[in-house]
Amino acid sequence: MNTLTKRLWKCISYCFPFRKKKPNDNAVEEIEIKQESLEKQPIEANSERETSYEVNSERETTIEANSERETSYEVNSERETTIEANSERETSYEVNSERETTVEANSEIETSNEVNSERETTVEAKRKRETTTKAHRKRKAANKSKSTRKTAKKPNVSPERDKLYCDECVSRQKRCFKDQVKTSIAKKKVFWTDFKRSNDFERGLLSRGWVKKIAPTFNAGPKKTVFRDPTYGHKIISRYDIQPNLILTRQRIELHLLKEDQITNHFCRVHATSKSGLCKVLRQWCLSCDANPHTFFPRCYMFSKINEKQAFIDDFTMTAACGILKWVLRTNGKSLQDEVIPSRKEKEEKTAICMSDAKINNHGPARIVPEDIIVTALVACQFHLYDLTHEDEDDIICAGIVDRKHFISDYYQVMHHGAHIQNSDKYVDYCHQLLCKLRRVNPQLDIDGEKNIWISKPRNLSRGRGIRCRNDLKDICSLGREWVVEKYIERPLLVYGTKFDLRQHFLITDWYPLTIWFYKHSFLRFSSQPFTLESLDTATHVCNYAIQKKLKNAPNRHPNLPEENMWHSDEFKEYLCTIGKEQVWDSIIIPGMKKALIHTMKATRENVKYRKNSFDLFGSDFLFGENFQPWLLEIQYKPGITKDTSVMWKIVPPMVEDMLRVVIDYKDDPNCNVGGFELIYKQANYTGNGILSKEKTFRDLKITTISDP
């Protein structure tokens, strides 16, 4: 109810006190009370019976009052109807306003629907544009990833012409690639490879205008041959048989399947690339020439041969005898280079140190070995010297050792258990003189050491698998026919107290005439543990990266050693400068490695199955003695050139590019830049019947290297 209605009700209630209220609880109670009061009045009048007239008059007044109440009730009802009409009008007004709001909301919804429909139309248009320009955008992204190619900028074209423009680009690119394939086939520039990681080879060949044949095999037919554009991904299926002119593979290829003009990185029967084959070819070759393989290759024995094991036993015994003489010099403070004889006091101090070392290293109090072991060793070394200087005589290498078993037992007590030899100072001069004579005829005397350690290798395994160091004769002789035993270099060159070896790559482009290319960059592989001869653990003595990458570096290693256990050769040369030996790289290390490789390849050449237009990369492992002399350990055929470390990232990509320069560019232009490869050996003339008429030396080639070995 509004305020006007409320005021009207107040006025009526003031003028008519006995008005009939709305039917609520309070009004009903008032009416009942009034009626009770009216009923009591006539009852009291009748009981008293004094003033009947008054009673009647009062009744008349009550009747009149009731009539007046009825009229007021009628007026009130009329007013209520007007109030209800007004309220209905107000509700109608509210309904109308709600209708207006709903109409406005509907109009807004209609406008939003119109906007959404317009947006949908624009989205559909954009989708159409995106679908029509999808191929063009892919090509544009591929072109951006190729820094060597510059793509033409897309002109401002309308959406209607966008698809037409992309179709023209695709067709033009396909035509260009098809023409390139035809030109490469005509110029014989088609290559095939099965390398999984041959990006460096492919990049170098594609930059020279070659195209790659994509097929399961190099001699696959036309139905399985595809040429693919490396930039845009366009494919061209060959309709006729196309044979590649260059074949790069890690698998063995049957040479009879190749044509004469096809180039491949494969040789057959390169025996020097196996552990037993290297030992065999060098041993046979030294019999037919003046070169001595013992100057660059440690002594090696193949247990697959019948007499090899007995020859090893003799060599082990002779090395033990030389070790006793070296022990006498070292214990008494003298060496092969030092002529100073220590005083009696220094000898006693040295003897005390040896006795204390024996208690620590072995296993309880030290044993005293009689001096007879020195006499036996002197006699054996004297016979060995005679044998080396009189090659035409029979083998009397161990004639001075009557009881080999007893001698080896005493030798173990001294070398393995720290025992001391009685009266060793009396034999210092004799031992020194005899070792000096042996040193002139035995180039491996310095690397033998005293511990008589040998390294056993499975002849058919690679990557350091199965390699172990051993110093017990019985343990070594228990090995089977599949093993090769090689003398371990006990006095290697160390860098910060850690052993390392060096991987040197070289390339052979022909066997007749023999042509060897030497790569000027190499890398060093470190052990993860400090060097010691007290432990023969593989982690300390085998530097192969396939083994060392699985091991944790020792916490007590020198901080200047690399975490990834690999150095570039330039870093090694910097280290040589820090120790004042910068001249040994060019005067000893490089010439020694070249000499070893030339001798080895000349020895291997006789067994290789020859084919023209063949080449391959080899990896040779070298270890250095304390005098920086390189010793050839083994040669790897098709060595792994995966870029696992930062050093390999520096070496591999430029080496692959330089290899392509030698194999491809050098044929057309002998004066071209061959990068890091150096021609270190080439035969001058070859008669074609296996007879070499003349060999061209380093000086004849005017190459700055060592003279012809």
Side-chain angles (χ1 to χ4, degrees):
M1 297 174 65
N2 54 12
T3 56
L4 181 62
T5 308
K6 290 180 180 179
R7 290 178 182 177
L8 184 61
W9 275 105
K10 285 182 180 180
C11 293
I12 294 171
S13 62
Y14 180 76
C15 296
F16 305 97
F18 298 100
R19 61 182 178 82
K20 185 177 181 181
K21 295 182 180 181
K22 285 186 177 181
N24 51 23
D25 295 337
N26 296 327
V28 172
E29 290 179 357
E30 287 181 358
I31 293 169
E32 290 178 354
I33 293 169
K34 294 288 184 180
Q35 289 177 357
E36 289 178 356
S37 62
L38 291 174
E39 289 177 356
K40 287 179 180 180
Q41 288 178 0
I43 292 170
E44 290 176 354
N46 291 326
S47 62
E48 292 177 357
R49 294 179 182 179
E50 291 179 355
T51 54
S52 60
Y53 177 76
E54 292 178 359
V55 171
N56 293 328
S57 62
E58 287 178 358
R59 288 180 180 175
E60 289 177 359
T61 55
T62 55
I63 291 168
E64 290 177 359
N66 291 329
S67 63
E68 289 177 358
R69 288 191 191 108
E70 291 176 357
T71 54
S72 64
Y73 289 152
E74 292 176 358
V75 173
N76 291 332
S77 62
E78 290 177 358
R79 289 177 180 175
E80 288 177 356
T81 53
T82 55
I83 290 168
E84 289 177 356
N86 292 329
S87 63
E88 289 177 357
R89 288 174 186 173
E90 289 177 357
T91 54
S92 64
Y93 289 149
E94 291 176 357
V95 172
N96 292 329
S97 63
E98 290 178 356
R99 288 178 181 176
E100 290 177 356
T101 54
T102 54
V103 170
E104 290 177 357
N106 292 329
S107 63
E108 290 178 356
I109 291 168
E110 290 177 356
T111 55
S112 64
N113 291 331
E114 292 176 357
V115 173
N116 292 329
S117 62
E118 292 177 357
R119 289 179 180 175
E120 289 177 356
T121 53
T122 55
V123 168
E124 289 178 357
K126 288 182 179 179
R127 288 178 181 175
K128 289 181 180 179
R129 292 174 187 173
E130 289 178 356
T131 53
T132 53
T133 60
K134 186 176 182 180
H136 179 71
R137 283 187 278 107
K138 283 185 178 180
R139 290 191 297 272
K140 190 175 181 180
N143 293 339
K144 287 182 180 179
S145 63
K146 299 290 183 179
S147 60
T148 56
R149 293 183 61 92
K150 295 182 179 179
T151 56
K153 188 176 180 181
K154 178 182 174 181
N156 295 326
V157 295
S158 60
E160 292 78 9
R161 296 185 58 192
D162 196 5
K163 184 177 181 180
L164 179 62
Y165 173 78
C166 293
D167 293 340
E168 291 178 355
C169 289
V170 172
S171 60
R172 182 170 63 253
Q173 291 162 2
K174 286 184 178 179
R175 287 195 303 270
C176 293
F177 180 62
K178 189 175 182 179
D179 296 338
Q180 181 184 355
V181 172
K182 290 181 179 179
T183 304
S184 300
I185 294 173
K187 293 183 178 180
K188 296 183 178 181
K189 291 186 175 182
V190 179
F191 74 95
W192 177 88
T193 179
D194 62 353
F195 289 167
K196 295 181 180 180
R197 299 178 181 178
S198 59
N199 294 331
D200 296 321
F201 283 102
E202 291 186 11
R203 190 182 301 109
L205 291 170
L206 294 174
S207 64
R208 289 170 170 80
W210 289 65
V211 293
K212 181 181 179 181
K213 175 183 178 179
I214 302 176
T217 59
F218 72 92
N219 56 354
K223 294 182 179 180
K224 298 181 180 180
T225 300
V226 178
F227 296 96
R228 186 176 63 183
D229 190 349
T231 305
Y232 302 103
H234 305 315
K235 293 183 179 180
I236 296 177
I237 301 175
S238 175
R239 296 183 179 179
Y240 54 93
D241 189 13
I242 298 175
Q243 292 296 322
N245 307 102
L246 175 62
I247 301 171
L248 300 173
T249 179
R250 294 188 63 87
Q251 306 298 327
R252 182 178 179 182
I253 297 179
E254 298 295 335
L255 298 182
H256 67 274
L257 299 176
L258 299 175
K259 298 180 180 179
E260 293 184 359
D261 60 342
Q262 285 182 313
I263 305 173
T264 181
N265 65 327
H266 183 69
F267 293 121
C268 287
R269 296 190 308 194
V270 185
H271 293 338
T273 56
S274 66
K275 297 175 178 63
S276 59
L278 179 60
C279 177
K280 182 179 179 180
V281 297
L282 289 177
R283 189 178 299 176
Q284 293 176 351
W285 180 70
C286 70
L287 299 176
S288 60
C289 65
D290 297 333
N292 184 9
H294 290 166
T295 58
F296 60 86
F297 183 66
R299 304 187 302 280
C300 184
Y301 297 93
M302 300 173 291
F303 281 8
S304 59
K305 303 293 182 181
I306 298 176
N307 299 326
E308 289 286 300
K309 188 169 289 189
Q310 183 59 44
F312 164 73
I313 294 173
D314 293 340
D315 195 343
F316 186 91
T317 307
M318 194 70 253
T319 305
C322 293
I324 292 294
L325 302 187
K326 293 177 183 179
W327 182 93
V328 172
L329 294 182
R330 180 179 59 83
T331 305
N332 293 275
K334 192 171 183 177
S335 64
L336 292 176
Q337 293 81 14
D338 188 9
E339 299 293 337
V340 179
I341 303 296
S343 63
R344 185 177 183 86
K345 183 178 180 181
E346 292 175 347
K347 291 180 182 179
E348 292 176 355
E349 292 177 354
K350 189 69 177 177
T351 303
I353 292 174
C354 293
M355 297 291 286
S356 62
D357 290 343
K359 293 180 181 179
I360 294 173
N361 294 334
N362 210 5
H363 332 297
R367 175 189 170 191
I368 302 299
V369 177
E371 59 186 284
D372 294 343
I373 189 174
I374 301 177
V375 177
T376 304
L378 284 170
V379 174
C381 290
Q382 188 66 45
F383 277 103
H384 181 52
L385 177 62
Y386 183 84
D387 182 43
L388 293 176
T389 55
H390 297 78
E391 297 179 356
D392 55 340
E393 300 291 338
D394 294 335
D395 188 10
I396 53 174
I397 186 171
C398 293
I401 301 179
V402 179
D403 190 354
R404 187 198 306 268
K405 185 177 181 181
H406 181 70
F407 174 78
I408 293 297
S409 176
D410 290 342
Y411 170 78
Y412 287 159
Q413 291 295 326
V414 175
M415 297 301 172
H416 298 175
H417 306 302
H420 186 69
I421 304 176
Q422 289 180 343
N423 302 323
S424 63
D425 56 338
K426 297 191 305 184
Y427 302 93
V428 173
D429 293 336
Y430 296 105
C431 294
H432 183 268
Q433 293 175 6
L434 188 54
L435 286 175
C436 288
K437 293 178 182 179
L438 284 171
R439 191 181 185 188
R440 298 188 188 101
V441 294
N442 183 10
Q444 298 188 14
L445 186 66
D446 291 336
I447 68 173
D448 283 347
E450 303 174 12
K451 300 290 186 179
N452 208 355
I453 301 174
W454 295 73
I455 185 166
S456 58
K457 305 177 182 179
R459 64 178 186 176
N460 294 325
L461 295 181
S462 60
R463 298 181 181 179
R465 292 174 293 178
I467 295 179
R468 283 189 57 189
C469 293
R470 307 170 190 264
N471 59 358
D472 186 83
L473 180 61
K474 185 177 181 180
D475 183 24
I476 298 174
C477 292
S478 64
L479 298 175
R481 297 171 56 87
E482 300 297 322
W483 290 84
V484 175
V485 179
E486 183 179 275
K487 184 65 187 73
Y488 182 74
I489 300 176
E490 298 183 26
R491 298 176 62 183
L493 179 66
L494 304 179
V495 173
Y496 298 119
T498 305
K499 183 185 174 183
F500 69 94
D501 64 7
L502 183 141
R503 169 61 62 88
Q504 177 64 54
H505 293 97
F506 65 98
L507 179 67
I508 293 182
T509 54
D510 206 342
W511 287 101
Y512 294 98
L514 179 60
T515 307
I516 305 175
W517 299 81
F518 185 88
Y519 196 61
K520 65 180 181 180
H521 298 297
S522 55
F523 60 91
L524 280 69
R525 303 177 298 186
F526 288 91
S527 172
S528 59
Q529 309 297 322
F531 180 76
T532 178
L533 292 179
E534 299 300 327
S535 172
L536 300 182
D537 188 15
T538 303
T540 303
H541 301 282
V542 180
C543 300
N544 194 290
Y545 181 73
I547 294 177
Q548 295 297 332
K549 70 179 181 180
K550 301 176 183 179
L551 304 174
K552 292 183 179 180
N553 295 334
N556 57 341
R557 288 208 326 167
H558 197 279
N560 291 342
L561 291 173
E563 288 293 330
E564 56 188 5
N565 293 324
M566 195 172 288
W567 258 5
H568 194 278
S569 56
D570 293 339
E571 296 176 278
F572 181 55
K573 288 188 283 187
E574 293 177 0
Y575 168 77
L576 294 176
C577 292
T578 59
I579 62 175
K581 299 293 183 180
E582 60 273 6
Q583 73 280 358
V584 300
W585 178 261
D586 295 324
S587 61
I588 300 177
I589 295 177
I590 292 296
M593 291 193 296
K594 290 178 179 179
K595 174 186 174 182
L597 294 178
I598 291 172
H599 283 322
T600 305
M601 292 300 103
K602 289 172 69 176
T604 308
R605 174 181 54 189
E606 299 177 357
N607 300 315
V608 176
K609 188 175 181 180
Y610 176 68
R611 180 189 178 274
K612 202 72 175 175
N613 290 325
S614 295
F615 73 97
D616 213 338
L617 183 71
F618 295 83
S620 55
D621 296 336
F622 285 93
L623 196 66
F624 304 99
E626 291 179 335
N627 58 353
F628 302 98
Q629 180 184 353
W631 293 92
L632 178 63
L633 301 181
E634 58 185 33
I635 294 178
Q636 296 288 336
Y637 182 53
K638 298 183 184 298
I641 53 175
T642 55
K643 293 171 284 190
D644 296 333
T645 63
S646 60
V647 176
M648 296 300 291
W649 272 99
K650 295 179 182 178
I651 291 179
V652 173
M655 184 178 67
V656 171
E657 176 62 25
D658 296 341
M659 192 189 311
L660 295 176
R661 291 176 179 176
V662 173
V663 175
I664 297 175
D665 302 343
Y666 186 78
K667 286 188 175 182
D668 300 331
D669 183 13
N671 297 322
C672 70
N673 180 21
V674 292
F677 278 101
E678 176 188 2
L679 181 62
I680 62 171
Y681 186 82
K682 185 175 182 180
Q683 297 172 357
N685 295 317
Y686 173 64
T687 59
N689 55 0
I691 301 174
L692 302 179
S693 60
K694 184 180 179 181
E695 291 185 356
K696 187 175 289 188
T697 63
F698 298 120
R699 293 176 182 176
D700 295 335
L701 289 171
K702 296 181 180 180
I703 300 175
T704 309
T705 57
I706 62 174
S707 60
D708 184 29

